[in-house]
Amino acid sequence: MSYWLVKSEPDKYSWEQLLKNGRTYWDGVRNYQARNNLQTMKKGDTVLFYHSNNGLAVVGIARVVKEAYPDPTTDDPRWVAVDLEPAETLKTPVSLRDMKKDKRLQNIALIKQGRLSVTPLTQEAFAVIVAKGRA
């Protein structure tokens, strides 16, 4: 199993909306590195859901339920989507500020490549963030 972090502006698609929908396709990615990350995702992988711009925090845990397929929002075959479903709402949102203060998280892509919308996480980084969110 692999671990990931996806970013969404809460006014465009929030964690609450994913909870309400029960499942969504993760579309609209137009960065090659983020696209490559989507293509690498496997069914059952675990995904942290991060509210970007407004909120700046990891708020929930989702799972990949369908692997990469053509993005339904474009006719361009270069872009893909995956399907996600919610698994757990974190008790405490884990802020970007908190993550930046933790030495164990200094090398995660969210901090190193802040504009990338789909990033891999190590198992250790995932566990650190989830432990903070469950506290």
PDB file of all heavy atoms in Angstrom, residues 30-64:
ATOM      1  N   ARG A  30      -3.729  19.161 -13.870  1.00  0.00           N
ATOM      2  CA  ARG A  30      -3.095  19.572 -15.121  1.00  0.00           C
ATOM      3  C   ARG A  30      -1.609  19.861 -14.920  1.00  0.00           C
ATOM      4  O   ARG A  30      -1.036  20.726 -15.548  1.00  0.00           O
ATOM      5  CB  ARG A  30      -3.793  20.799 -15.712  1.00  0.00           C
ATOM      6  CG  ARG A  30      -5.253  20.577 -16.045  1.00  0.00           C
ATOM      7  CD  ARG A  30      -5.466  19.530 -17.128  1.00  0.00           C
ATOM      8  NE  ARG A  30      -6.855  19.380 -17.479  1.00  0.00           N
ATOM      9  CZ  ARG A  30      -7.660  18.469 -16.992  1.00  0.00           C
ATOM     10  NH1 ARG A  30      -7.225  17.591 -16.095  1.00  0.00           N
ATOM     11  NH2 ARG A  30      -8.917  18.392 -17.376  1.00  0.00           N
ATOM     12  N   ASN A  31      -0.994  19.101 -14.056  1.00  0.00           N
ATOM     13  CA  ASN A  31       0.448  19.168 -13.823  1.00  0.00           C
ATOM     14  C   ASN A  31       0.971  17.759 -14.065  1.00  0.00           C
ATOM     15  O   ASN A  31       0.408  16.793 -13.550  1.00  0.00           O
ATOM     16  CB  ASN A  31       0.713  19.628 -12.379  1.00  0.00           C
ATOM     17  CG  ASN A  31       2.157  19.500 -11.978  1.00  0.00           C
ATOM     18  OD1 ASN A  31       2.630  18.393 -11.727  1.00  0.00           O
ATOM     19  ND2 ASN A  31       2.846  20.616 -11.903  1.00  0.00           N
ATOM     20  N   TYR A  32       2.049  17.645 -14.857  1.00  0.00           N
ATOM     21  CA  TYR A  32       2.529  16.314 -15.230  1.00  0.00           C
ATOM     22  C   TYR A  32       3.000  15.491 -14.035  1.00  0.00           C
ATOM     23  O   TYR A  32       2.736  14.291 -13.964  1.00  0.00           O
ATOM     24  CB  TYR A  32       3.641  16.413 -16.279  1.00  0.00           C
ATOM     25  CG  TYR A  32       3.103  16.788 -17.644  1.00  0.00           C
ATOM     26  CD1 TYR A  32       3.297  18.062 -18.145  1.00  0.00           C
ATOM     27  CD2 TYR A  32       2.388  15.873 -18.400  1.00  0.00           C
ATOM     28  CE1 TYR A  32       2.793  18.418 -19.392  1.00  0.00           C
ATOM     29  CE2 TYR A  32       1.880  16.214 -19.645  1.00  0.00           C
ATOM     30  CZ  TYR A  32       2.092  17.491 -20.135  1.00  0.00           C
ATOM     31  OH  TYR A  32       1.585  17.828 -21.357  1.00  0.00           O
ATOM     32  N   GLN A  33       3.679  16.114 -13.093  1.00  0.00           N
ATOM     33  CA  GLN A  33       4.153  15.358 -11.932  1.00  0.00           C
ATOM     34  C   GLN A  33       2.970  14.862 -11.096  1.00  0.00           C
ATOM     35  O   GLN A  33       2.937  13.703 -10.673  1.00  0.00           O
ATOM     36  CB  GLN A  33       5.093  16.209 -11.088  1.00  0.00           C
ATOM     37  CG  GLN A  33       5.766  15.434  -9.979  1.00  0.00           C
ATOM     38  CD  GLN A  33       6.790  16.266  -9.216  1.00  0.00           C
ATOM     39  OE1 GLN A  33       6.991  17.446  -9.497  1.00  0.00           O
ATOM     40  NE2 GLN A  33       7.429  15.658  -8.252  1.00  0.00           N
ATOM     41  N   ALA A  34       1.983  15.723 -10.877  1.00  0.00           N
ATOM     42  CA  ALA A  34       0.785  15.318 -10.136  1.00  0.00           C
ATOM     43  C   ALA A  34       0.033  14.233 -10.913  1.00  0.00           C
ATOM     44  O   ALA A  34      -0.459  13.264 -10.327  1.00  0.00           O
ATOM     45  CB  ALA A  34      -0.108  16.521  -9.873  1.00  0.00           C
ATOM     46  N   ARG A  35      -0.057  14.368 -12.227  1.00  0.00           N
ATOM     47  CA  ARG A  35      -0.697  13.351 -13.065  1.00  0.00           C
ATOM     48  C   ARG A  35       0.010  12.010 -12.930  1.00  0.00           C
ATOM     49  O   ARG A  35      -0.627  10.968 -12.797  1.00  0.00           O
ATOM     50  CB  ARG A  35      -0.694  13.808 -14.525  1.00  0.00           C
ATOM     51  CG  ARG A  35      -1.472  12.921 -15.490  1.00  0.00           C
ATOM     52  CD  ARG A  35      -0.693  11.999 -16.421  1.00  0.00           C
ATOM     53  NE  ARG A  35       0.692  12.181 -16.617  1.00  0.00           N
ATOM     54  CZ  ARG A  35       1.264  12.506 -17.781  1.00  0.00           C
ATOM     55  NH1 ARG A  35       0.524  12.772 -18.837  1.00  0.00           N
ATOM     56  NH2 ARG A  35       2.570  12.559 -17.880  1.00  0.00           N
ATOM     57  N   ASN A  36       1.348  12.043 -12.947  1.00  0.00           N
ATOM     58  CA  ASN A  36       2.104  10.804 -12.794  1.00  0.00           C
ATOM     59  C   ASN A  36       1.830  10.153 -11.442  1.00  0.00           C
ATOM     60  O   ASN A  36       1.773   8.924 -11.334  1.00  0.00           O
ATOM     61  CB  ASN A  36       3.598  11.068 -12.967  1.00  0.00           C
ATOM     62  CG  ASN A  36       3.950  11.473 -14.383  1.00  0.00           C
ATOM     63  OD1 ASN A  36       3.161  11.316 -15.309  1.00  0.00           O
ATOM     64  ND2 ASN A  36       5.137  12.027 -14.559  1.00  0.00           N
ATOM     65  N   ASN A  37       1.651  10.981 -10.416  1.00  0.00           N
ATOM     66  CA  ASN A  37       1.309  10.447  -9.097  1.00  0.00           C
ATOM     67  C   ASN A  37      -0.066   9.783  -9.131  1.00  0.00           C
ATOM     68  O   ASN A  37      -0.255   8.702  -8.567  1.00  0.00           O
ATOM     69  CB  ASN A  37       1.375  11.542  -8.035  1.00  0.00           C
ATOM     70  CG  ASN A  37       2.798  11.973  -7.742  1.00  0.00           C
ATOM     71  OD1 ASN A  37       3.745  11.218  -7.925  1.00  0.00           O
ATOM     72  ND2 ASN A  37       2.953  13.205  -7.300  1.00  0.00           N
ATOM     73  N   LEU A  38      -1.036  10.416  -9.803  1.00  0.00           N
ATOM     74  CA  LEU A  38      -2.363   9.795  -9.938  1.00  0.00           C
ATOM     75  C   LEU A  38      -2.257   8.447 -10.650  1.00  0.00           C
ATOM     76  O   LEU A  38      -2.909   7.477 -10.257  1.00  0.00           O
ATOM     77  CB  LEU A  38      -3.310  10.701 -10.728  1.00  0.00           C
ATOM     78  CG  LEU A  38      -3.901  11.913 -10.025  1.00  0.00           C
ATOM     79  CD1 LEU A  38      -4.732  12.727 -11.005  1.00  0.00           C
ATOM     80  CD2 LEU A  38      -4.726  11.527  -8.820  1.00  0.00           C
ATOM     81  N   GLN A  39      -1.433   8.381 -11.686  1.00  0.00           N
ATOM     82  CA  GLN A  39      -1.282   7.140 -12.445  1.00  0.00           C
ATOM     83  C   GLN A  39      -0.661   6.024 -11.606  1.00  0.00           C
ATOM     84  O   GLN A  39      -0.876   4.846 -11.876  1.00  0.00           O
ATOM     85  CB  GLN A  39      -0.426   7.378 -13.690  1.00  0.00           C
ATOM     86  CG  GLN A  39      -1.147   8.178 -14.743  1.00  0.00           C
ATOM     87  CD  GLN A  39      -0.266   8.516 -15.930  1.00  0.00           C
ATOM     88  OE1 GLN A  39       0.932   8.762 -15.796  1.00  0.00           O
ATOM     89  NE2 GLN A  39      -0.879   8.549 -17.102  1.00  0.00           N
ATOM     90  N   THR A  40       0.089   6.394 -10.581  1.00  0.00           N
ATOM     91  CA  THR A  40       0.763   5.420  -9.722  1.00  0.00           C
ATOM     92  C   THR A  40      -0.154   4.886  -8.625  1.00  0.00           C
ATOM     93  O   THR A  40       0.086   3.815  -8.080  1.00  0.00           O
ATOM     94  CB  THR A  40       2.023   6.067  -9.092  1.00  0.00           C
ATOM     95  OG1 THR A  40       2.846   6.562 -10.146  1.00  0.00           O
ATOM     96  CG2 THR A  40       2.818   5.090  -8.281  1.00  0.00           C
ATOM     97  N   MET A  41      -1.216   5.610  -8.311  1.00  0.00           N
ATOM     98  CA  MET A  41      -2.123   5.194  -7.239  1.00  0.00           C
ATOM     99  C   MET A  41      -2.760   3.852  -7.553  1.00  0.00           C
ATOM    100  O   MET A  41      -3.136   3.580  -8.691  1.00  0.00           O
ATOM    101  CB  MET A  41      -3.214   6.238  -7.021  1.00  0.00           C
ATOM    102  CG  MET A  41      -2.739   7.507  -6.394  1.00  0.00           C
ATOM    103  SD  MET A  41      -4.149   8.641  -6.207  1.00  0.00           S
ATOM    104  CE  MET A  41      -3.432   9.880  -5.162  1.00  0.00           C
ATOM    105  N   LYS A  42      -2.901   3.037  -6.517  1.00  0.00           N
ATOM    106  CA  LYS A  42      -3.522   1.725  -6.641  1.00  0.00           C
ATOM    107  C   LYS A  42      -4.758   1.645  -5.743  1.00  0.00           C
ATOM    108  O   LYS A  42      -4.829   2.293  -4.697  1.00  0.00           O
ATOM    109  CB  LYS A  42      -2.541   0.619  -6.232  1.00  0.00           C
ATOM    110  CG  LYS A  42      -1.289   0.569  -7.082  1.00  0.00           C
ATOM    111  CD  LYS A  42      -1.602   0.175  -8.500  1.00  0.00           C
ATOM    112  CE  LYS A  42      -0.356   0.146  -9.358  1.00  0.00           C
ATOM    113  NZ  LYS A  42      -0.651   0.329 -10.763  1.00  0.00           N
ATOM    114  N   LYS A  43      -5.702   0.818  -6.146  1.00  0.00           N
ATOM    115  CA  LYS A  43      -6.896   0.598  -5.339  1.00  0.00           C
ATOM    116  C   LYS A  43      -6.475   0.163  -3.940  1.00  0.00           C
ATOM    117  O   LYS A  43      -5.626  -0.712  -3.787  1.00  0.00           O
ATOM    118  CB  LYS A  43      -7.767  -0.472  -5.999  1.00  0.00           C
ATOM    119  CG  LYS A  43      -9.104  -0.647  -5.344  1.00  0.00           C
ATOM    120  CD  LYS A  43      -9.963  -1.615  -6.129  1.00  0.00           C
ATOM    121  CE  LYS A  43     -11.306  -1.771  -5.434  1.00  0.00           C
ATOM    122  NZ  LYS A  43     -12.184  -2.670  -6.185  1.00  0.00           N
ATOM    123  N   GLY A  44      -7.031   0.817  -2.924  1.00  0.00           N
ATOM    124  CA  GLY A  44      -6.702   0.512  -1.535  1.00  0.00           C
ATOM    125  C   GLY A  44      -5.667   1.440  -0.934  1.00  0.00           C
ATOM    126  O   GLY A  44      -5.480   1.455   0.284  1.00  0.00           O
ATOM    127  N   ASP A  45      -4.970   2.223  -1.778  1.00  0.00           N
ATOM    128  CA  ASP A  45      -4.008   3.196  -1.231  1.00  0.00           C
ATOM    129  C   ASP A  45      -4.739   4.199  -0.351  1.00  0.00           C
ATOM    130  O   ASP A  45      -5.918   4.500  -0.560  1.00  0.00           O
ATOM    131  CB  ASP A  45      -3.287   3.940  -2.359  1.00  0.00           C
ATOM    132  CG  ASP A  45      -2.185   3.131  -3.018  1.00  0.00           C
ATOM    133  OD1 ASP A  45      -1.919   1.996  -2.573  1.00  0.00           O
ATOM    134  OD2 ASP A  45      -1.594   3.648  -3.984  1.00  0.00           O
ATOM    135  N   THR A  46      -4.020   4.737   0.616  1.00  0.00           N
ATOM    136  CA  THR A  46      -4.584   5.678   1.576  1.00  0.00           C
ATOM    137  C   THR A  46      -4.157   7.099   1.213  1.00  0.00           C
ATOM    138  O   THR A  46      -3.007   7.336   0.852  1.00  0.00           O
ATOM    139  CB  THR A  46      -4.111   5.320   2.989  1.00  0.00           C
ATOM    140  OG1 THR A  46      -4.430   3.940   3.233  1.00  0.00           O
ATOM    141  CG2 THR A  46      -4.795   6.163   4.036  1.00  0.00           C
ATOM    142  N   VAL A  47      -5.103   8.025   1.329  1.00  0.00           N
ATOM    143  CA  VAL A  47      -4.909   9.392   0.854  1.00  0.00           C
ATOM    144  C   VAL A  47      -5.314  10.382   1.944  1.00  0.00           C
ATOM    145  O   VAL A  47      -6.422  10.308   2.471  1.00  0.00           O
ATOM    146  CB  VAL A  47      -5.773   9.644  -0.403  1.00  0.00           C
ATOM    147  CG1 VAL A  47      -5.578  11.060  -0.918  1.00  0.00           C
ATOM    148  CG2 VAL A  47      -5.482   8.617  -1.489  1.00  0.00           C
ATOM    149  N   LEU A  48      -4.414  11.309   2.265  1.00  0.00           N
ATOM    150  CA  LEU A  48      -4.774  12.406   3.155  1.00  0.00           C
ATOM    151  C   LEU A  48      -5.410  13.509   2.324  1.00  0.00           C
ATOM    152  O   LEU A  48      -4.928  13.846   1.248  1.00  0.00           O
ATOM    153  CB  LEU A  48      -3.546  12.950   3.889  1.00  0.00           C
ATOM    154  CG  LEU A  48      -2.875  11.992   4.865  1.00  0.00           C
ATOM    155  CD1 LEU A  48      -1.684  12.664   5.538  1.00  0.00           C
ATOM    156  CD2 LEU A  48      -3.864  11.497   5.909  1.00  0.00           C
ATOM    157  N   PHE A  49      -6.494  14.077   2.829  1.00  0.00           N
ATOM    158  CA  PHE A  49      -7.236  15.130   2.143  1.00  0.00           C
ATOM    159  C   PHE A  49      -6.874  16.454   2.798  1.00  0.00           C
ATOM    160  O   PHE A  49      -7.125  16.654   3.983  1.00  0.00           O
ATOM    161  CB  PHE A  49      -8.737  14.855   2.275  1.00  0.00           C
ATOM    162  CG  PHE A  49      -9.614  15.663   1.375  1.00  0.00           C
ATOM    163  CD1 PHE A  49     -10.213  15.082   0.275  1.00  0.00           C
ATOM    164  CD2 PHE A  49      -9.867  17.000   1.633  1.00  0.00           C
ATOM    165  CE1 PHE A  49     -11.058  15.824  -0.549  1.00  0.00           C
ATOM    166  CE2 PHE A  49     -10.698  17.749   0.825  1.00  0.00           C
ATOM    167  CZ  PHE A  49     -11.296  17.162  -0.279  1.00  0.00           C
ATOM    168  N   TYR A  50      -6.299  17.354   2.006  1.00  0.00           N
ATOM    169  CA  TYR A  50      -5.780  18.635   2.507  1.00  0.00           C
ATOM    170  C   TYR A  50      -6.589  19.780   1.921  1.00  0.00           C
ATOM    171  O   TYR A  50      -6.773  19.853   0.706  1.00  0.00           O
ATOM    172  CB  TYR A  50      -4.313  18.759   2.087  1.00  0.00           C
ATOM    173  CG  TYR A  50      -3.632  20.049   2.472  1.00  0.00           C
ATOM    174  CD1 TYR A  50      -3.074  20.210   3.734  1.00  0.00           C
ATOM    175  CD2 TYR A  50      -3.522  21.083   1.570  1.00  0.00           C
ATOM    176  CE1 TYR A  50      -2.423  21.392   4.089  1.00  0.00           C
ATOM    177  CE2 TYR A  50      -2.876  22.267   1.914  1.00  0.00           C
ATOM    178  CZ  TYR A  50      -2.329  22.415   3.174  1.00  0.00           C
ATOM    179  OH  TYR A  50      -1.688  23.585   3.517  1.00  0.00           O
ATOM    180  N   HIS A  51      -7.079  20.654   2.791  1.00  0.00           N
ATOM    181  CA  HIS A  51      -7.743  21.874   2.337  1.00  0.00           C
ATOM    182  C   HIS A  51      -6.676  22.929   2.058  1.00  0.00           C
ATOM    183  O   HIS A  51      -5.968  23.357   2.974  1.00  0.00           O
ATOM    184  CB  HIS A  51      -8.712  22.397   3.393  1.00  0.00           C
ATOM    185  CG  HIS A  51     -10.031  21.713   3.380  1.00  0.00           C
ATOM    186  ND1 HIS A  51     -10.914  21.835   4.417  1.00  0.00           N
ATOM    187  CD2 HIS A  51     -10.644  20.913   2.475  1.00  0.00           C
ATOM    188  CE1 HIS A  51     -12.009  21.136   4.148  1.00  0.00           C
ATOM    189  NE2 HIS A  51     -11.856  20.565   2.971  1.00  0.00           N
ATOM    190  N   SER A  52      -6.571  23.340   0.807  1.00  0.00           N
ATOM    191  CA  SER A  52      -5.581  24.349   0.427  1.00  0.00           C
ATOM    192  C   SER A  52      -6.221  25.732   0.400  1.00  0.00           C
ATOM    193  O   SER A  52      -7.438  25.867   0.450  1.00  0.00           O
ATOM    194  CB  SER A  52      -4.973  24.009  -0.937  1.00  0.00           C
ATOM    195  OG  SER A  52      -5.971  24.006  -1.936  1.00  0.00           O
ATOM    196  N   ASN A  53      -5.378  26.738   0.312  1.00  0.00           N
ATOM    197  CA  ASN A  53      -5.763  28.155   0.237  1.00  0.00           C
ATOM    198  C   ASN A  53      -6.576  28.635   1.437  1.00  0.00           C
ATOM    199  O   ASN A  53      -6.181  29.549   2.125  1.00  0.00           O
ATOM    200  CB  ASN A  53      -6.493  28.478  -1.057  1.00  0.00           C
ATOM    201  CG  ASN A  53      -5.590  28.391  -2.256  1.00  0.00           C
ATOM    202  OD1 ASN A  53      -4.369  28.424  -2.136  1.00  0.00           O
ATOM    203  ND2 ASN A  53      -6.170  28.251  -3.418  1.00  0.00           N
ATOM    204  N   ASN A  54      -7.707  28.020   1.689  1.00  0.00           N
ATOM    205  CA  ASN A  54      -8.561  28.422   2.800  1.00  0.00           C
ATOM    206  C   ASN A  54      -8.667  27.240   3.759  1.00  0.00           C
ATOM    207  O   ASN A  54      -9.386  26.293   3.497  1.00  0.00           O
ATOM    208  CB  ASN A  54      -9.946  28.817   2.278  1.00  0.00           C
ATOM    209  CG  ASN A  54     -10.845  29.335   3.359  1.00  0.00           C
ATOM    210  OD1 ASN A  54     -10.409  29.580   4.479  1.00  0.00           O
ATOM    211  ND2 ASN A  54     -12.101  29.517   3.032  1.00  0.00           N
ATOM    212  N   GLY A  55      -7.918  27.281   4.836  1.00  0.00           N
ATOM    213  CA  GLY A  55      -7.906  26.182   5.794  1.00  0.00           C
ATOM    214  C   GLY A  55      -6.496  25.697   6.052  1.00  0.00           C
ATOM    215  O   GLY A  55      -6.061  25.613   7.177  1.00  0.00           O
ATOM    216  N   LEU A  56      -5.772  25.382   4.980  1.00  0.00           N
ATOM    217  CA  LEU A  56      -4.373  24.949   5.061  1.00  0.00           C
ATOM    218  C   LEU A  56      -4.171  23.862   6.113  1.00  0.00           C
ATOM    219  O   LEU A  56      -3.345  23.996   7.012  1.00  0.00           O
ATOM    220  CB  LEU A  56      -3.448  26.137   5.330  1.00  0.00           C
ATOM    221  CG  LEU A  56      -3.465  27.242   4.288  1.00  0.00           C
ATOM    222  CD1 LEU A  56      -2.537  28.377   4.707  1.00  0.00           C
ATOM    223  CD2 LEU A  56      -3.109  26.727   2.915  1.00  0.00           C
ATOM    224  N   ALA A  57      -4.929  22.760   5.953  1.00  0.00           N
ATOM    225  CA  ALA A  57      -4.828  21.676   6.927  1.00  0.00           C
ATOM    226  C   ALA A  57      -5.298  20.358   6.332  1.00  0.00           C
ATOM    227  O   ALA A  57      -6.173  20.329   5.463  1.00  0.00           O
ATOM    228  CB  ALA A  57      -5.666  22.001   8.161  1.00  0.00           C
ATOM    229  N   VAL A  58      -4.718  19.274   6.827  1.00  0.00           N
ATOM    230  CA  VAL A  58      -5.203  17.935   6.513  1.00  0.00           C
ATOM    231  C   VAL A  58      -6.433  17.713   7.385  1.00  0.00           C
ATOM    232  O   VAL A  58      -6.378  17.889   8.606  1.00  0.00           O
ATOM    233  CB  VAL A  58      -4.129  16.860   6.795  1.00  0.00           C
ATOM    234  CG1 VAL A  58      -4.711  15.462   6.620  1.00  0.00           C
ATOM    235  CG2 VAL A  58      -2.919  17.052   5.892  1.00  0.00           C
ATOM    236  N   VAL A  59      -7.546  17.344   6.749  1.00  0.00           N
ATOM    237  CA  VAL A  59      -8.808  17.231   7.480  1.00  0.00           C
ATOM    238  C   VAL A  59      -9.402  15.830   7.480  1.00  0.00           C
ATOM    239  O   VAL A  59     -10.304  15.545   8.264  1.00  0.00           O
ATOM    240  CB  VAL A  59      -9.844  18.246   6.947  1.00  0.00           C
ATOM    241  CG1 VAL A  59      -9.399  19.671   7.233  1.00  0.00           C
ATOM    242  CG2 VAL A  59     -10.090  18.039   5.457  1.00  0.00           C
ATOM    243  N   GLY A  60      -8.915  14.956   6.590  1.00  0.00           N
ATOM    244  CA  GLY A  60      -9.498  13.624   6.530  1.00  0.00           C
ATOM    245  C   GLY A  60      -8.619  12.618   5.820  1.00  0.00           C
ATOM    246  O   GLY A  60      -7.588  12.966   5.243  1.00  0.00           O
ATOM    247  N   ILE A  61      -9.065  11.369   5.893  1.00  0.00           N
ATOM    248  CA  ILE A  61      -8.373  10.254   5.251  1.00  0.00           C
ATOM    249  C   ILE A  61      -9.357   9.616   4.266  1.00  0.00           C
ATOM    250  O   ILE A  61     -10.503   9.335   4.618  1.00  0.00           O
ATOM    251  CB  ILE A  61      -7.928   9.203   6.281  1.00  0.00           C
ATOM    252  CG1 ILE A  61      -7.027   9.837   7.344  1.00  0.00           C
ATOM    253  CG2 ILE A  61      -7.220   8.039   5.587  1.00  0.00           C
ATOM    254  CD1 ILE A  61      -6.754   8.928   8.541  1.00  0.00           C
ATOM    255  N   ALA A  62      -8.871   9.405   3.045  1.00  0.00           N
ATOM    256  CA  ALA A  62      -9.679   8.769   2.010  1.00  0.00           C
ATOM    257  C   ALA A  62      -8.945   7.530   1.497  1.00  0.00           C
ATOM    258  O   ALA A  62      -7.788   7.290   1.860  1.00  0.00           O
ATOM    259  CB  ALA A  62      -9.938   9.748   0.869  1.00  0.00           C
ATOM    260  N   ARG A  63      -9.625   6.773   0.656  1.00  0.00           N
ATOM    261  CA  ARG A  63      -9.021   5.592   0.032  1.00  0.00           C
ATOM    262  C   ARG A  63      -9.262   5.647  -1.479  1.00  0.00           C
ATOM    263  O   ARG A  63     -10.321   6.107  -1.930  1.00  0.00           O
ATOM    264  CB  ARG A  63      -9.649   4.316   0.560  1.00  0.00           C
ATOM    265  CG  ARG A  63      -9.414   4.100   2.020  1.00  0.00           C
ATOM    266  CD  ARG A  63      -9.139   2.651   2.354  1.00  0.00           C
ATOM    267  NE  ARG A  63      -9.107   2.408   3.779  1.00  0.00           N
ATOM    268  CZ  ARG A  63      -8.172   2.829   4.602  1.00  0.00           C
ATOM    269  NH1 ARG A  63      -7.183   3.533   4.160  1.00  0.00           N
ATOM    270  NH2 ARG A  63      -8.219   2.559   5.891  1.00  0.00           N
ATOM    271  N   VAL A  64      -8.301   5.138  -2.214  1.00  0.00           N
ATOM    272  CA  VAL A  64      -8.454   4.998  -3.660  1.00  0.00           C
ATOM    273  C   VAL A  64      -9.357   3.790  -3.907  1.00  0.00           C
ATOM    274  O   VAL A  64      -9.082   2.699  -3.416  1.00  0.00           O
ATOM    275  CB  VAL A  64      -7.087   4.800  -4.356  1.00  0.00           C
ATOM    276  CG1 VAL A  64      -7.267   4.571  -5.856  1.00  0.00           C
ATOM    277  CG2 VAL A  64      -6.160   5.989  -4.091  1.00  0.00           C
TER     278      VAL A  64
END
